[in-house]
Amino acid sequence: MSGPGPARRVTVRVPAKVNVQLAVGAARTDGFHDLANVFLAVALYDEITATPAASLQVTCAGPGADQVPLDRTNLAARAAELLAARYGITPDVHLHIDKDIPVAGGMAGGSADGAGALLACDALWSTGASRAELLEICAELGSDVPFSLVGGAALGTGRGEQLTSLALGAAFHWVFALADGGLSTPTVFREFDRLTPDAAPPQASPDLIDALRSGDVVALAAVLANDLQPAALSLRPSLADTLAAGAAAGALAGLVSGSGPTTAFLAKDAESAAEVAAALRGSGTCRSARVAVSSVAGATVLRPGPSQR
Ligand code: C5P
């Protein structure tokens, strides 16, 4: 096809995230918690394809697809509706999610689908929305959604949606141990409140930001921290066995990813990551294990919309 015209189909690829620091404060009056949340985007991806349709429809394929809601609670559907409402468009679009990010795993898979659908619909409809407008809609969709759009490495403050980009000195090699079933993020935060009645105001760790900037994997391993980990372990005690198996297999450090139940292990290099993943797969403490590198770009259009033709 040549020349401008409506795109028939736009596909966007969006990465998962790992939190290398997740500092959590006390519950706010709006129910959210103030965070100091250091995100890295990792090379595990969902792909969202937007195609014009008679009405708004969401489909999903891939591991765990049967656990993904296909109604208006899906962040991809919400993203299409919010963008359409803002530009006076009817959101007649079919959003297909090719899922590879663990579902309800603490790796921002739902947020990735929201950011991906937003970018795909924006390209499909040629709204001309600015990056700032897209980020505003992302923040409305959820606390982790702006990071899914931006990717790379960033500190999230407020409820996690106010982003500051961070410098990264090197690629890091991660292993993710996938657990059976998900953990509900609100439930994990409620457990945090129960376990931590006097939570201090969250602060980003200067040592962690230095380790990221210098690319020093040993220094980074020493300061990985997730305040939600005790809550996730309290709700899912078997995760302690997975963490122990990763440590025994030679990971430099391990932690629960976000609100879990995925656990993340930092490895010295790609070879060590492959060894840790193999050992975890054989340990009987997780469903499977994946390796992935950080950091990677955020939501990216793969199949061009009209503006790229
Ligand atoms: O923002 P998002 O919709 O992803 O948040 C899901 C849930 O996680 C919230 O309803 C809230 O229970 C909890 N949450 C929180 N504080 C944050 C982010 C999320 O308590 N900063």
Side-chain angles (χ1 to χ4, degrees):
M1 189 193 278
S2 64
R8 297 230 174 78
R9 181 160 112 128
V10 179
T11 299
V12 172
R13 186 172 85 156
V14 196
K17 58 88 184 167
V18 64
N19 306 94
V20 285
Q21 185 193 5
L22 183 43
V24 183
R28 314 190 309 201
T29 49
D30 64 1
F32 286 92
H33 296 70
D34 276 324
L35 305 178
N37 193 354
V38 180
F39 300 97
L40 301 184
V42 300
L44 290 180
Y45 298 98
D46 281 359
E47 284 187 12
I48 296 87
T49 298
T51 316
S55 60
L56 180 57
Q57 187 199 359
V58 179
T59 54
C60 184
D66 55 326
Q67 297 152 53
V68 174
L70 301 178
D71 59 12
R72 302 294 162 93
T73 63
N74 188 300
L75 285 183
R78 292 255 303 122
E81 285 180 331
L82 284 180
L83 184 70
R86 191 177 272 233
Y87 285 93
I89 296 164
T90 314
D92 292 337
V93 64
H94 172 202
L95 298 166
H96 179 72
I97 302 167
D98 259 318
K99 192 144 261 312
D100 197 33
I101 303 175
V103 176
M107 297 191 72
S111 300
D113 300 343
L118 185 67
L119 201 58
C121 290
D122 180 59
L124 192 66
W125 298 334
S126 303
T127 68
S130 66
R131 191 79 171 162
E133 277 177 281
L134 294 179
L135 281 169
E136 212 176 282
I137 297 173
C138 286
E140 204 174 322
L141 288 167
S143 308
D144 287 349
V145 184
F147 180 73
S148 296
L149 188 71
V150 168
L155 167 65
T157 54
R159 59 183 170 87
E161 86 288 13
Q162 294 163 25
L163 297 178
T164 309
S165 285
L166 296 175
L168 259 192
F172 296 109
H173 297 272
W174 295 91
V175 182
F176 296 97
L178 312 188
D180 278 320
L183 270 178
S184 142
T185 304
T187 306
V188 175
F189 272 102
R190 273 198 298 277
E191 183 67 355
F192 169 87
D193 292 336
R194 192 182 70 79
L195 295 174
T196 327
D198 299 314
Q203 284 189 326
S205 152
D207 288 348
L208 183 123
I209 289 170
D210 278 352
L212 291 177
R213 187 186 302 118
S214 64
D216 183 337
V217 67
V218 173
L220 178 61
V223 291
L224 292 179
N226 179 1
D227 285 354
L228 291 181
Q229 180 160 314
L233 285 172
S234 164
L235 295 167
R236 191 73 74 84
S238 63
L239 294 181
D241 299 333
T242 321
L243 289 170
L252 295 176
L255 81 175
V256 170
S257 178
S259 56
T262 303
T263 41
F265 298 90
L266 184 57
K268 181 163 59 66
D269 51 29
E271 196 185 335
S272 167
E275 285 167 12
V276 171
L280 279 165
R281 283 183 204 113
S283 71
T285 66
C286 57
R287 176 164 56 81
S288 65
R290 304 280 305 271
V291 296
V293 75
S294 70
S295 208
V296 294
T300 305
V301 176
L302 295 183
R303 225 181 295 277
S307 57
Q308 282 88 13
R309 285 226 179 93

